[in-house]
Amino acid sequence: MSEITPYQIAIEQLERAARIAEIDPQAIEILKHPQRVIRVSIPVRMDNGSIKVFTGYRSQHNNALGPYKGGVRYHPNVTMDEVIALSMWMTWKVSLAGLPLGGGKGGVAVNPKELSKGELERLTRGYVRAIAPFIGPDVDVPAPDVGTDAQVMAWFLDEYEKVVRATRKGVVTSKPVELGGSLGRIYSTGYGVAVITREAVKEFLEEKSPEELTVAIQGYGNVGSYTAIFLHEMGFKIVAVSDSKGGIYSKDGLDPKKVLEHKKKTRSVVGYKEAKTITNKELLELDVDILIPAALENVITSENMKNIKAKLIVEGANGPTTPEAEEYLFKEKKSLVVPDFLANAGGVIVSFFEQVQNWTWTQWSEDEVKRRLEAQMITAFKKVVDEWNRLDKKVVLRDAAMSIAVRRVADAMKLRGWY
Ligand code: GLU
């Protein structure tokens, strides 16, 4: 398979935005390169007594607007190329959301499902010791991503505080609430995806109500499962969901909470009794109104774009659609892709709320978090729609969103005298 790499995609998207928004080429030249990429080796004592060495990365793409911010991914396919692309996408995400933050991302090439809890803890602590000199609450603030969760963040915080011999709650976000995490952070990405889907339906599929619309969701981890739960609450019919082991379909609609219970018990959505089994490929090509890829990058590509039937695609994952496929869907099928860095910004927005709470030693109520998150997502969505209208709806939504995001970073760099 010779699909283009995530970094190549990120560069292509940036170049398109530069043309459309007429951004100074000097700023674009700077933005094509991450400011710093750290590559570390992490020796871990395995349960059987042997030592295994894992490779980890942290890419700090741009901090013109504030400290680098972005998750840490544990996945066997993690590469430096991917981590750099993901860090660029974080720069656009925090910029579009109007946050005073920059873009960063980390990753370790490992399959966390194959590690024991003890091995996972030792790996996390080793990764933290290796990158500790380069991070901090006002320098670079990691968070979870694919394959990591609040427990990993708890070990992260503990190890970092041991290294610096001080309390530094704000070094990482999406911590357990007991350790300074924000209420609502656990479901914030999924809630944000659901809010953006609802807004996008109002804007682009206006004649339809949620009850008349069918949804398929690829991925049933933190993002996919909560997206399904909130969309279901809003009245949408979730007809298919999947995970890495396969998918399930029910034309009458699934109960997302029951599917989650099933997944917790059996580690997969497959086998859920009130549905028929389908493949991930079939899920993407289902005849549904709304498709939400919420797993990994590069799933809607030149290979399957002709078979995609959904009129609205909302990117819960980072980078699921290649530029070629996005352009094809827009031009040939009149389908719209709501880009990742708009649709899935709910996670990092509540991460920022967590940082604010940590800096001020306060705890906001869950209602306040949800209310502020929703308002911030809707503001970002409206900005993108306005820009898209200004561009006469001639470009993909991502181009409009990128124009806003890149311009804000370029302006900050200009004021700082970087070009
Ligand atoms: N990993 C999430 C993302 O891709 C969250 C990042 C964060 O909270 O810093 O947006």
Side-chain angles (χ1 to χ4, degrees), residues 59-348:
S59 170
Q60 300 177 332
H61 176 251
N62 189 282
N63 66 352
L65 287 167
Y68 306 104
K69 187 83 193 80
V72 176
R73 173 174 295 200
Y74 287 178
H75 192 275
N77 299 346
V78 162
T79 60
M80 190 183 281
D81 178 287
E82 183 195 54
V83 173
I84 294 172
L86 289 162
S87 72
M88 282 178 81
W89 291 333
M90 283 310 299
T91 302
W92 318 141
K93 196 181 297 187
V94 290
S95 173
L96 181 67
L99 303 174
L101 298 172
K105 197 82 172 202
V108 178
V110 58
N111 184 352
K113 292 174 191 158
E114 285 172 4
L115 299 193
S116 70
K117 199 167 178 196
E119 290 167 341
L120 203 59
E121 175 175 351
R122 293 193 289 281
L123 172 71
T124 302
R125 291 186 186 275
Y127 177 64
V128 175
R129 284 193 299 278
I131 65 164
F134 305 99
I135 61 171
D138 51 7
V139 181
D140 181 357
V141 182
D145 196 75
V146 175
T148 51
D149 60 12
Q151 174 60 73
V152 172
M153 297 304 112
W155 293 322
F156 199 113
L157 172 72
D158 187 67
E159 192 63 23
Y160 184 78
E161 291 189 338
K162 280 183 177 142
V163 172
V164 300
R165 299 177 55 244
T167 299
R168 289 283 182 276
K169 288 236 160 96
V171 70
V172 76
T173 58
S174 204
K175 299 175 288 285
V177 175
E178 296 84 342
L179 298 179
S182 178
L183 294 168
R185 175 63 182 89
I186 185 77
Y187 57 70
S188 55
T189 311
Y191 183 60
V193 175
V195 167
I196 289 291
T197 304
R198 186 193 66 202
E199 295 303 306
V201 163
K202 277 195 246 164
E203 186 68 37
F204 307 122
L205 308 176
E206 48 208 276
E207 72 280 18
K208 296 255 173 79
S209 70
E211 290 72 18
E212 298 169 79
L213 295 167
T214 52
V215 185
I217 303 179
Q218 185 194 36
Y220 217 63
N222 178 269
V223 181
S225 61
Y226 283 114
T227 299
I229 289 168
F230 286 111
L231 282 177
H232 182 72
E233 264 177 36
M234 291 172 187
F236 290 89
K237 196 198 261 189
I238 317 295
V239 292
V241 301
S242 70
D243 57 34
S244 58
K245 300 193 177 80
I248 53 173
Y249 173 85
S250 160
K251 78 169 181 5
D252 301 326
L254 299 159
D255 179 339
K257 281 192 182 154
K258 282 198 193 148
V259 176
L260 188 59
E261 272 166 36
H262 174 81
K263 182 171 165 113
K264 279 190 180 147
K265 268 192 237 131
T266 66
R267 301 180 122 217
S268 175
V269 297
V270 177
Y272 181 70
K273 61 180 183 325
E274 287 150 48
K276 97 173 207 254
T277 305
I278 56 171
T279 64
N280 265 292
K281 182 177 182 299
E282 285 165 341
L283 180 135
L284 294 169
E285 298 174 5
L286 280 175
D287 189 6
V288 289
D289 300 295
I290 302 164
L291 175 64
I292 304 186
L296 290 166
E297 51 272 19
N298 267 350
V299 296
I300 301 176
T301 68
S302 55
E303 279 171 31
N304 62 358
M305 62 192 186
K306 296 203 167 87
N307 305 330
I308 305 284
K309 297 175 193 71
K311 280 285 157 241
L312 187 65
I313 293 147
V314 183
E315 295 186 328
N318 292 311
T321 317
T322 65
E324 187 188 353
E326 185 167 10
E327 190 74 13
Y328 174 87
L329 290 169
F330 180 62
K331 293 246 161 85
E332 307 300 325
K333 300 217 161 187
K334 310 280 173 265
S335 299
L336 285 174
V337 176
V338 182
D340 44 10
F341 66 102
L342 169 61
N344 71 25
V348 75

